[in-house]
Amino acid sequence: MLLLIALAGYLAACLALFAFQRSYIYFPPPVPMVTAPRTTTLALPGAEVRVSERPRQGPQAVLYFGGNAEDVTASLPLLDEAFPAHALYLMHYRGYLGSSGKPTEQALVADALALFDRAALEHLDIVVIGRSLGSGVAIQVAAKRPVSRLVLVTPFDSLAALGARQFPYFPVRWLLRDKYESGKYAPAVKAPTLLIAAGQDEIVPAQSTRLLLSRFREGVASMRVIDGAGHNAISGSPDYVAYLRVPPGHPAGAR
């Protein structure tokens, strides 16, 4: 009887994890931290997605996809410093700060591809940056579109693997719907890629980032580690903006 009760409790916990899993992944911020110079809307199936922009004329642009609890406007000042000549486009995920709809991996990637296609109408040279959860979005864009550079900040090889590590007693790989398996998309990326890792990352293990690095084709990706930086504090390092600027393949972007 005790065994049956324990089994029923375990199955109920698995069901709850499956039903509420996206509440463990997506944490929309309450208010914007920075006022963007311009905000536009992408009208997409099932949602209207807000995009914070810093306009610039010319062929160069940056697309930025943030972390799971990030207000992307907070990154505007650093991106402005790193890319003064580029137009900046920062996507607010579905359900985040004025964007309607609900966030899912499939929807976020589709929205990101739509943003790239819109930006490509005006810009020929597009850098794509993804931070934390956004690295899982950005790498899929780079695998499917002709980006000029890809920058992944505190990236992981697989969200499913991270979830299995956090919940070792549950079949997370079977239960998880939004798996963000970046390692599967890395071989399709042709653009020069830079991974920026936090030396004291308390969320993404170093082995996950290095495993992702190994998935790229030879010569495509390199990595820099910001020593002493934590997962959420990495952008506060004086090296962060410098690494955003450094093209992969440059000596400062060595593996």
Side-chain angles (χ1 to χ4, degrees):
M1 179 61 70
L2 289 177
L3 180 60
L4 289 176
I5 293 173
L7 180 59
Y10 178 76
L11 292 176
C14 288
L15 181 60
L17 184 60
F18 178 79
F20 298 106
Q21 59 183 272
R22 287 184 172 129
S23 66
Y24 297 116
I25 298 175
Y26 306 104
F27 300 93
V31 293
M33 297 181 66
V34 175
T35 300
R38 183 171 75 184
T39 301
T40 59
T41 300
L42 277 171
L44 300 166
E48 291 189 347
V49 173
R50 306 286 280 175
V51 181
S52 290
E53 301 182 12
R54 198 281 313 274
R56 284 289 186 273
Q57 296 291 326
Q60 297 177 310
V62 171
L63 272 56
Y64 180 82
F65 305 103
N68 68 334
E70 182 180 352
D71 165 25
V72 292
T73 63
S75 290
L76 269 169
L78 291 176
L79 292 172
D80 180 69
E81 182 182 354
F83 302 96
H86 291 63
L88 303 178
Y89 300 90
L90 295 78
M91 189 176 83
H92 297 273
Y93 300 143
R94 296 184 181 215
Y96 283 57
L97 292 175
S99 293
S100 62
K102 295 182 179 180
T104 68
E105 179 181 5
Q106 182 179 8
L108 267 54
V109 172
D111 297 346
L113 291 169
L115 177 58
F116 181 95
D117 292 342
R118 192 187 74 174
L121 297 175
E122 299 181 30
H123 310 283
L124 298 177
D125 180 344
I126 300 179
V127 177
V128 173
I129 302 174
R131 179 171 177 174
S132 193
L133 182 77
S135 68
V137 176
I139 197 169
Q140 294 188 50
V141 173
K144 298 174 182 179
R145 295 293 189 270
V147 311
S148 61
R149 283 183 60 206
L150 174 64
V151 182
L152 303 176
V153 181
T154 59
F156 48 82
D157 183 69
S158 165
L159 184 64
L162 294 185
R165 178 174 176 265
Q166 186 173 358
F167 299 99
Y169 301 109
F170 294 95
V172 171
R173 294 178 188 274
W174 291 356
L175 296 173
L176 201 62
R177 287 177 284 185
D178 296 352
K179 299 184 178 183
Y180 291 99
E181 295 182 296
S182 296
K184 290 186 176 181
Y185 297 95
V189 175
K190 298 178 182 179
T193 299
L194 179 63
L195 283 65
I196 304 177
Q200 300 298 321
D201 198 317
E202 66 281 12
I203 295 176
V204 177
Q207 60 266 33
S208 179
T209 303
R210 292 197 173 276
L211 181 58
L212 175 60
L213 179 64
S214 72
R215 307 282 198 191
F216 289 89
R217 294 184 298 173
E218 185 67 29
V220 169
S222 58
M223 183 170 74
R224 293 298 294 177
V225 179
I226 298 182
D227 294 330
H231 185 85
N232 294 318
I234 189 171
S235 56
S237 165
D239 292 327
Y240 182 70
V241 168
Y243 289 158
L244 288 180
R245 290 191 186 120
V246 173
H250 186 279
R255 203 164 180 141

